[in-house]
Amino acid sequence: MRIVFLGAPGSGKGTQSQRLIERHGIPQISTGDLLRAHVKDGTELGRRAKAVMDSGQLVDDATILGMVRERLAAPDAARGFILDGFPRTIPQAEGLAKMLADIGRPLDRVIEFRVDPKLLVQRISGRRSCQDCGRVFNVHTAPVPVPPPCGGQCTTPRLVQRPDDNEATVAKRLSVYEEQTAPLVGFYAATGLLRKVEAEGDLAAVTARVEAALAP
Ligand code: AMP
């Protein structure tokens, strides 16, 4: 299946992707993760993107579309994918539609994650990820399980907070979402692909609602 997860920062797209990828045998493609890998590796793209990301703004559409085109050409994406955090603007959505039309594999479904905006700041400020395996936890809602994940590799997960998860940058990211990304709800509603999911509450219950929204 070719799926887009659409929703504000902190709405749970990444967490739910992690829960669904094994079951569906498709990769999660997060443009935020791809960008953070560039930053970590010190590539030219990463150097350009870092300041933009730290300020809570969006990286330019051409850079993002080039990065996604390359990632979608990898063999593991042939059976489908969950796009997490992409597209984030109307030009990105149009670019994606064209890219997929060119290979004759259009999107199957767009899931909108709906969360009360008041909850988002709390969720994001509690977010921590394991420096070694990348798994995401939340000090409020999803503490590190015992035994730890990663088949024991991360016996003591080294939890870090993303530099853009601080309160000031989060406020900026949420306003950028409202201005530039929320219009995609109307864009995808018009295509008939959009399903809305209430994304608050128990993780497993949200997963069940997402699965129901993905059913044919
Ligand atoms: P995320 O991990 O999805 O919250 O993304 C972190 C940051 O990376 C965002 O605040 C943006 O600066 C940048 N970013 C990620 N995905 C995109 C995208 N599709 N378009 C533009 N910027 C993006």
Side-chain angles (χ1 to χ4, degrees):
M1 274 193 107
R2 291 172 295 279
I3 305 164
V4 165
F5 278 1
L6 181 63
S11 59
K13 307 182 298 295
T15 303
Q16 292 298 331
S17 298
Q18 287 181 355
R19 294 172 66 90
L20 289 169
I21 49 177
E22 268 178 41
R23 211 176 304 171
H24 289 263
I26 54 178
Q28 166 196 17
I29 298 180
S30 153
T31 43
D33 286 348
L34 293 175
L35 289 166
R36 280 184 287 279
H38 274 280
V39 172
K40 196 170 165 204
D41 294 346
T43 67
E44 197 265 321
L45 192 160
R47 278 196 294 276
R48 271 192 289 124
K50 180 161 178 30
V52 180
M53 294 167 76
D54 285 350
S55 72
Q57 307 271 4
L58 295 185
V59 174
D60 69 280
D61 291 334
T63 298
I64 296 289
L65 283 166
M67 204 175 66
V68 170
R69 182 177 288 109
E70 195 176 299
R71 180 63 186 86
L72 291 183
D76 68 335
R79 293 183 51 207
F81 42 77
I82 298 176
L83 291 173
D84 161 14
F86 170 87
R88 259 176 156 98
T89 63
I90 299 276
Q92 288 182 16
E94 290 169 344
L96 174 67
K98 173 149 192 335
M99 230 183 273
L100 296 178
D102 286 349
I103 54 170
R105 294 191 188 137
L107 284 177
D108 296 303
R109 204 53 57 84
V110 177
I111 306 293
E112 182 198 353
F113 284 62
R114 293 169 62 83
V115 173
D116 181 344
K118 287 197 283 288
L119 256 185
L120 294 173
V121 178
Q122 192 212 359
R123 275 197 184 183
I124 301 174
S125 63
R127 186 155 69 183
R128 303 287 184 279
S129 56
C130 172
Q131 202 163 276
D132 300 315
C133 76
R135 279 273 304 262
V136 179
F137 304 93
N138 194 295
V139 295
H140 306 305
T141 55
V144 182
V146 181
C150 333
Q153 276 172 34
C154 303
T155 36
T156 314
R158 292 187 292 155
L159 296 187
V160 289
Q161 188 174 32
R162 278 171 44 176
D164 59 343
D165 274 352
N166 66 76
E167 222 169 288
T169 311
V170 168
K172 181 67 194 169
R173 287 162 62 204
L174 292 176
S175 73
V176 166
Y177 178 81
E178 282 309 318
E179 283 158 27
Q180 300 194 54
T181 308
L184 291 180
V185 173
F187 178 95
Y188 282 122
T191 65
L193 297 176
L194 186 79
R195 302 287 184 280
K196 294 175 186 289
V197 166
E198 294 307 323
E200 286 180 29
D202 181 63
L203 279 185
V206 176
T207 306
R209 291 199 283 276
V210 174
E211 290 283 19
L214 290 175

